[in-house]
Amino acid sequence: MPPVSSCDCPHLDCVGEITKEELIKKSHGQCQDCKVGGPNLWACLENGCAYVGCGESHADHSTVHSQDTRHNLTVNLTTLRVWCYACGKEVFLERKLGPHSPHGNSKPLPLPQNVGLTGLKNIGNTCYMNAALQALSNCPPLTQFFLECGGLVRTDKKPALCKSYQKLVSDLWHKNRPSYVVPTNLFQGIKAINPMFRGYAQQDSQEFLRCLMDQLHEELKEQLPEPCDQSHGIAMDDSPEEDNHNDTNEAEMLIPEQDEIQANREWQKEKNMINDLTGVDIDKDVDTTTETTPIISSQGAIKVQGRASGKNMRYIPMEGHIPKMSSSPPKAASGWPSLNPAHKKVTTFSPPKNKRQKKYRSIISDVFDGTIVSSVQCLTCDRVSVTLENFQDISLPIPGKEDLAKLHSSTHQTSLVKAGSCGEAYAPQGWIAFVMEYIKSWFWGPVVTLQDCLAAFFARDELKGDNMYSCEKCKKLRNGVKFCKMQSLPEILCIHLKRFRHELMFSTKISTHVSFPLEGLDLQPFLAKDSSAQTTSYDLLSVICHHGTASNGHYIAYCRNDVNNLWYEFDDQSVTEVSEACVQNAEAYVLFYKKSNEDAVKERRRVSGLFNMMEPSLLQFYISRQWLNKFKTFAEPGPISNDDFLCLHGGVPPNKATFIDDLVVMLPQNVWDHLYSRYGGGPAVNHLYVCHTCQTEIEKLEKRRKQELDMFVRLNKAFQEEESPVVIYCISMQWFREWEGFVKGKDNDPPGPIDNSKITVNKNGHLTLKQGADSGQISEETWNFLHSIYGGGPLLTVRPNISHQEVESSQSEEKIEVETRSV
C-alpha cells in the first residue's frame, strides 16, 4: 500500500528540530516513568519536549504522556517509526529534517514508508527461527508473492504452514506495523511437522530454514501441464510420483525405436556436456547410470530436492493417457451386494503403458532451485558417471591453512583448469594480492573468502584409500576423481557455511571469519560450459549470524531493506540500522544472494511507462499473476507462463474457475505486445471461459473411478464369502495403494501396469513369493479384472494344499505351493 503523505497530518508543525544522533542517544536511555530500558522506547516529538516513555510491551507510558499533554507525535527509537496519536497513522518528517539539522554529518530520520522493519518476539529460545524468518522476509521475490499473490496461497494440507507464513509476512510488511510480531502460529505449525523443534531447546537456524521451505513447497506445489505435442517423447522431469528427495538425472535411458532420432540428438547434447565438464572422450567408455549416492565432494554437501523446477528425469509420454484434472473424491461404496462375476458385464479400459512421472513447481522452487552437474571418473577404466542434481541451498566447507595453500598453489591451480574445475575463480584477485594475504594469514590466522569456500566445494576431489569409488564397470572399488559445476543458477542463492562439526560425544564450531562481498559475487567460474545462464552476478540480501559456541549461542540477521537499500540488524524484537562495514565484519552462517541485472530494472521502468501510454480502444489481455510477480522481482523472469490458469485446451479448468481473479491480471494490448515480444511464452488470452472439454473428462474420470471401485468391492466381497478358494492370487501392496489412491480421488493419475516384481524371488528358475513381501491376496476374478485394465505382472498364485493329518500334527503350519505362469 502506498505510504500516507505527510500533508495528511496537520500536526507536523508542532515538531521541533531533531537529528538521528539525538534519537540514538535517547534509545540508550530509560522510560522516564517506570525506568525500563529499551528496545522500543518512544520519544515525544513535540517542540521543546524531551519525554521518553515505554511502549505497549510494558506500561505504554508513551501513550499516557500523549493523553495527558496532548502531544500527538512520537517516534519509536528502535524502528524510527513516527506515529500521530491524533490521526491514528504514520506520518513523514522529511520537511523537518535534512538541511535544517544542526549536525552536517547526521542522517535524516528515515521515512516511515520503510516497511519490513518489524521485530519478532522470542517465544522461548527461538532466536534461530526469528533470524531465519527475517532473512527470508527480506527476499523480495518470495515476500512479494505472499503480499501480492495472496489469493494463490491455497492448501488443504495440514498444518497449512503457507497460510501462517503469509499472515506473518503481511504483519511484518504492513505500513501500520507494530514494534514486533509474535510468530506463534507458524512456530506451532513447524513443531507439528518436525518434532525436533518441539520444546524450548536451541536449534539450528539452517535446519529450520530447510524444514520451513520444504513444507512451503509441499503445500504450494502445482503440477506442471503436460506438453501438448507428445509426438516427440523426450522431456525432462522430476523425481518419481512421490516428489521425493532423490532428484538425479540419468544421461541415458532406454528410448523406444520411434524416438531414436530425437534420442540421438539429446544424447549428443549430453555427450558434449560431459566432454566440456571432464575433458574425457565420452565415446570411449561412459556409463551414466544414476548413482545411489549423490556425487558431491566430501568437503561440502548439497541439499538435493525433489523440486518442481528440476529437469531431472526423462520420460516417454504414454498413449491414451487421461489428462490430469482435479475432481472431488467419489463417495465410498455402500453395502456389499452379491455378484457372480461370470454373469456381470465388466467395463474395461485401455491399459496404460506406464505411470507418467509428475513434474511440480512452486514459488519456493521458482526462487531457490538451481542445478549442479556432477561427474565421477574411474581412473582404471575411464568410466565416467554423470548426474544432474537439484539444490535449494549449498553447504560450503570453510578451508583451513592447508586447504587454502592447496587451492591457491600454482600446480594445483593448473590441474584445476585442466580438469575443467574452478581454477579461474582466483583470476581477478591477482597472485601478488594472494601472496600478501597468505603471508598475513601466518600471523593473524587464515584469510578465508567466500570465493575460497566455493572453490573448495567445486574443486576436484580424489577418491582413494577409505574413500575409493565403487566402479560399476570394474565391479570393484577403484581410485577415482570427482568434480562438479553449476548447470543452472537460482534466482536467489542460499549459501550455508559449515561452521559446526557434530561428533558422537561433542560438537565444535569453526569460528574462522569468512569475508563475503555485499555486491558482485560472480559465479561464472563455477558454471558449466554449456549452461544457458545469462546472469551470473549476485548481490547480498541477508545474512544469518551465530554468536557463541556450538552448545550455547545466539542468532541474529542482517538484512538489506528493499525499500531504502539500508542495512538493518534484526535481533529478535530489536531492529537497528547498521553500516555496511558492520555487515561485512559479521560471522556469517547462512547467506542469501539475489541475481543482479540492471537490464531487468530498466525493463520494469519501460513497462511502467507503457501503462501511462494506454489508449482506451486497445484490447485487454490476461496474464498470469504469478509470472507478473516474477517480472517485478526476478532478474530473469523467463518466458510468460499462462499455463497456471489455463488447461491444455485453452480454457479455464473447472476447479480454478471460482478464484480466477486471483490468478490473472489484465494488461492493455501495448503492454502485452511488448512483454510477449521480449520474453515469449504465452499463450495470448483475451477471453476467459470454463473449459467444457475438461468438465466432460472430469465426469468421465469420476465415472471410471466409481466403476472400478464398485467392481472391486463386489469381487472382494465374493472372495471373502468363499469358504475354500481353490487358488489365491498375490498382488503388490505398493501398486495396490497407488490404485486405491487413484480410485478414491487422492491421485489424479491412474497407476501404471501391475508390478509384482518386488514381491517375487527366483528359485531354481521359478518365481515364488518372497518371504515377508509387502503383498496382498485377491481372487482370480479380481486379478483378471485389474489385469484387463492395467496389464503387468508377473502372475503369482498361492494354492492351499493341506491334508487333515498335517493339520493335526502341526496345527499351524501350512504348505504353500506357488505356481507361476507368464502373462
Side-chain angles (χ1 to χ4, degrees):
M1 296 178 66
V4 180
S5 173
S6 59
C7 62
D8 293 335
C9 178
H11 308 95
L12 290 175
D13 293 336
C14 300
V15 178
E17 300 292 347
I18 192 170
T19 66
K20 184 179 178 183
E21 279 72 13
E22 293 172 345
L23 294 179
I24 292 176
K25 288 180 181 179
K26 289 184 178 183
S27 69
H28 299 304
Q30 299 176 331
C31 172
Q32 295 179 10
D33 290 319
C34 65
K35 307 305 179 185
V36 68
N40 295 314
L41 295 174
W42 292 79
C44 180
L45 293 178
E46 186 78 12
N47 190 13
C49 182
Y51 179 83
V52 174
C54 59
E56 295 175 355
S57 57
H58 296 285
D60 200 12
H61 284 123
S62 60
T63 301
V64 175
H65 170 78
S66 173
Q67 293 171 346
D68 293 342
T69 62
R70 297 186 180 271
H71 293 176
N72 297 314
L73 290 168
T74 184
V75 58
N76 186 292
L77 295 177
T78 298
T79 64
L80 299 181
R81 161 202 176 197
V82 181
W83 183 262
C84 178
Y85 285 103
C87 298
K89 62 187 178 185
E90 289 182 299
V91 294
F92 300 102
L93 297 180
E94 184 178 18
R95 64 184 181 86
K96 283 300 209 177
L97 300 171
H100 303 288
S101 174
H103 303 286
N105 295 327
S106 61
K107 296 181 181 178
L109 187 68
L111 299 181
Q113 74 256 35
N114 297 335
V115 290
L117 303 180
T118 302
L120 289 171
K121 184 177 178 60
N122 192 312
I123 50 180
N125 246 350
T126 57
C127 61
Y128 69 92
M129 176 181 72
N130 292 346
L133 291 174
Q134 295 288 11
L136 272 187
S137 172
N138 283 276
C139 294
L142 185 65
T143 292
Q144 288 304 308
F145 170 83
F146 282 97
L147 291 179
E148 298 184 7
C149 304
L152 306 181
V153 182
R154 302 171 184 273
T155 184
D156 55 358
K157 300 177 182 178
K158 301 297 182 182
L161 201 66
C162 61
K163 295 182 179 179
S164 298
Y165 184 76
Q166 178 191 22
K167 177 63 166 60
L168 179 67
V169 170
S170 299
D171 291 342
L172 291 177
W173 289 85
H174 197 278
K175 69 168 187 174
N176 293 332
R177 61 188 183 277
S179 300
Y180 60 86
V181 173
V182 185
T184 304
N185 289 341
L186 188 138
F187 189 41
Q188 295 297 332
I190 283 290
K191 290 191 292 186
I193 298 166
N194 194 328
M196 176 178 68
F197 297 106
R198 297 171 187 172
Y200 297 98
Q202 180 65 268
Q203 302 293 342
D204 187 278
S205 188
Q206 186 238 1
E207 290 296 334
F208 173 84
L209 274 171
R210 286 185 169 181
C211 180
L212 172 63
M213 295 166 72
D214 282 348
Q215 184 64 20
L216 290 178
H217 168 75
E218 183 64 26
E219 293 181 359
L220 295 174
K221 69 180 183 181
E222 293 183 345
Q223 190 170 335
L224 290 177
E226 302 295 338
C228 295
D229 182 9
Q230 299 185 358
S231 59
H232 298 291
I234 295 182
M236 304 298 278
D237 200 332
D238 213 70
S239 55
E241 49 278 331
E242 296 181 2
D243 191 34
N244 57 29
H245 290 254
N246 184 18
D247 205 8
T248 55
N249 175 37
E250 298 185 359
E252 181 182 25
M253 295 186 71
L254 296 178
I255 308 294
E257 293 181 2
Q258 60 267 29
D259 293 315
E260 198 168 321
I261 297 177
Q262 179 71 9
N264 289 336
R265 293 174 181 171
E266 293 291 324
W267 176 229
Q268 186 61 47
K269 182 178 180 181
E270 297 286 355
K271 290 195 293 184
N272 294 338
M273 177 185 71
I274 298 169
N275 289 336
D276 290 339
L277 181 67
T278 65
V280 177
D281 185 1
I282 197 66
D283 289 317
K284 179 180 179 181
D285 190 359
V286 176
D287 183 3
T288 53
T289 323
T290 302
E291 300 293 329
T292 57
T293 304
I295 316 173
I296 300 301
S297 169
S298 58
Q299 295 175 314
I302 287 185
K303 170 80 180 296
V304 179
Q305 294 292 328
R307 289 295 185 210
S309 63
K311 308 172 180 69
N312 298 301
M313 191 71 74
R314 293 187 183 180
Y315 67 90
I316 309 302
M318 60 189 183
E319 298 174 2
H321 178 69
I322 297 179
K324 297 178 174 59
M325 291 161 291
S326 297
S327 65
S328 58
K331 295 181 179 179
S334 58
W336 297 78
S338 60
L339 171 69
N340 182 353
H343 300 90
K344 177 68 177 179
K345 182 178 179 181
V346 178
T347 303
T348 60
F349 305 92
S350 300
K353 292 184 177 180
N354 198 359
K355 183 175 174 65
R356 187 185 298 278
Q357 305 298 330
K358 299 179 182 179
K359 188 176 181 182
Y360 294 95
R361 60 150 297 276
S362 73
I363 183 61
I364 299 296
S365 63
D366 289 349
V367 173
F368 294 100
D369 274 15
T371 310
I372 281 184
V373 55
S374 306
S375 297
V376 172
Q377 179 184 358
C378 175
L379 297 181
T380 301
C381 68
D382 287 336
R383 171 186 176 269
V384 178
S385 177
V386 177
T387 61
L388 283 175
E389 297 170 317
N390 272 4
F391 68 90
Q392 170 186 308
D393 57 43
I394 301 182
S395 294
L396 301 182
I398 301 177
K401 285 185 178 181
E402 294 182 0
D403 298 318
L404 287 174
K406 183 179 179 181
L407 285 170
H408 290 281
S409 65
S410 57
T411 54
H412 184 69
Q413 189 73 15
T414 304
S415 66
L416 286 176
V417 175
K418 287 182 178 179
S421 189
C422 51
E424 62 270 32
Y426 295 101
Q429 180 185 20
W431 291 105
I432 297 178
F434 161 70
V435 171
M436 295 301 296
E437 287 186 356
Y438 188 69
I439 293 175
K440 288 191 297 183
S441 70
W442 286 100
F443 297 95
W444 294 285
V447 179
V448 182
T449 67
L450 187 59
Q451 207 78 358
D452 290 325
C453 300
L454 286 165
F457 179 85
F458 287 101
R460 59 180 289 170
D461 190 17
E462 295 182 357
L463 306 178
K464 57 184 179 181
D466 294 337
N467 196 29
M468 292 180 70
Y469 166 57
S470 179
C471 179
E472 291 295 327
K473 181 180 179 182
C474 299
K475 302 298 182 182
K476 60 178 61 178
L477 293 176
R478 296 291 194 187
N479 290 338
V481 62
K482 174 175 63 178
F483 33 83
C484 56
K485 286 258 190 173
M486 287 191 174
Q487 185 69 21
S488 65
L489 300 178
E491 179 65 26
I492 291 183
L493 174 68
C494 180
I495 296 176
H496 162 234
L497 298 179
K498 300 181 69 176
R499 290 197 175 275
F500 298 102
R501 292 177 179 173
H502 302 287
E503 306 296 339
L504 184 61
M505 300 297 296
F506 59 91
S507 298
T508 58
K509 178 185 176 183
I510 302 174
S511 298
T512 303
H513 176 71
V514 177
S515 63
F516 51 89
L518 299 186
E519 297 178 346
L521 175 66
D522 188 13
L523 296 186
Q524 181 63 46
F526 314 107
L527 205 60
K529 291 183 179 179
D530 68 332
S531 172
S532 59
Q534 300 294 320
T535 303
T536 61
S537 179
Y538 284 78
D539 294 340
L540 186 65
L541 287 176
S542 53
V543 52
I544 300 174
C545 305
H546 180 270
H547 301 302
T549 65
S551 58
N552 186 20
H554 180 63
Y555 286 98
I556 65 170
Y558 293 108
C559 307
R560 181 176 61 83
N561 185 274
D562 192 53
V563 179
N564 62 10
N565 284 323
L566 297 177
W567 284 93
Y568 293 87
E569 178 190 84
F570 292 84
D571 185 355
D572 288 333
Q573 294 177 211
S574 175
V575 181
T576 310
E577 183 183 343
V578 295
S579 65
E580 292 186 351
C582 179
V583 177
Q584 288 183 310
N585 290 327
E587 190 175 299
Y589 181 50
V590 180
L591 303 105
F592 288 88
Y593 280 91
K594 184 182 184 300
K595 279 183 180 178
S596 175
N597 189 343
E598 287 297 326
D599 290 340
V601 177
K602 295 177 181 177
E603 183 62 22
R604 285 192 278 269
R605 293 172 182 167
R606 187 178 298 112
V607 171
S608 178
L610 288 175
F611 271 99
N612 298 328
M613 300 167 54
M614 182 178 64
E615 299 178 7
S617 60
L618 292 179
L619 286 174
Q620 297 291 314
F621 283 79
Y622 295 93
I623 194 169
S624 164
R625 188 179 294 272
Q626 291 195 63
W627 186 88
L628 200 58
N629 180 64
K630 281 188 180 182
F631 172 75
K632 294 177 180 179
T633 57
F634 278 48
E636 296 176 337
I640 297 172
S641 52
N642 284 340
D643 292 326
D644 61 350
F645 68 88
L646 296 176
C647 66
L648 294 177
H649 316 103
V652 177
N655 62 312
K656 293 184 177 181
T658 56
F659 56 95
I660 187 62
D661 290 341
D662 294 334
L663 302 178
V664 300
V665 175
M666 291 185 65
L667 298 179
Q669 183 176 357
N670 62 330
V671 177
W672 165 262
D673 290 344
H674 176 81
L675 291 175
Y676 182 77
S677 64
R678 180 171 177 85
Y679 296 102
V685 180
N686 57 19
H687 173 62
L688 296 177
Y689 62 93
V690 179
C691 180
H692 176 72
T693 303
C694 280
Q695 184 62 46
T696 302
E697 290 179 342
I698 288 175
E699 294 170 358
K700 290 180 179 178
L701 186 63
E702 290 179 343
K703 182 178 179 181
R704 170 182 174 173
R705 283 171 166 157
K706 187 177 186 306
Q707 286 178 334
E708 288 190 27
L709 183 60
D710 288 349
M711 179 59 69
F712 175 81
V713 168
R714 294 172 185 176
L715 293 175
N716 189 58
K717 178 177 175 58
F719 176 57
Q720 291 178 346
E721 292 176 347
E722 189 174 355
E723 293 184 0
S724 55
V726 178
V727 63
I728 298 174
Y729 285 67
C730 300
I731 193 167
S732 166
M733 287 302 297
Q734 180 178 347
W735 182 90
F736 182 82
R737 282 187 286 267
E738 292 181 7
W739 174 82
E740 186 181 28
F742 165 67
V743 296
K744 291 185 176 181
K746 297 178 181 178
D747 190 341
N748 289 329
D749 294 332
I754 299 173
D755 183 9
N756 281 344
S757 61
K758 294 182 180 180
I759 65 172
T760 62
V761 62
N762 193 321
K763 291 184 178 180
N764 301 323
H766 295 280
L767 292 178
T768 61
L769 183 65
K770 185 185 299 184
Q771 185 176 3
D774 185 18
S775 64
Q777 297 181 349
I778 58 177
S779 66
E780 179 180 8
E781 291 80 6
T782 305
W783 168 267
N784 291 336
F785 168 67
L786 293 175
H787 188 267
S788 68
I789 300 174
Y790 297 100
L795 184 146
L796 290 176
T797 60
V798 179
R799 191 183 302 274
N801 185 18
I802 308 173
S803 65
H804 292 289
Q805 291 81 4
E806 289 172 331
V807 172
E808 293 174 354
S809 61
S810 64
Q811 294 185 0
S812 61
E813 293 184 359
E814 188 177 63
K815 182 179 180 182
I816 303 294
E817 176 186 352
V818 180
E819 75 174 21
T820 64
R821 65 176 182 266
S822 59
V823 179

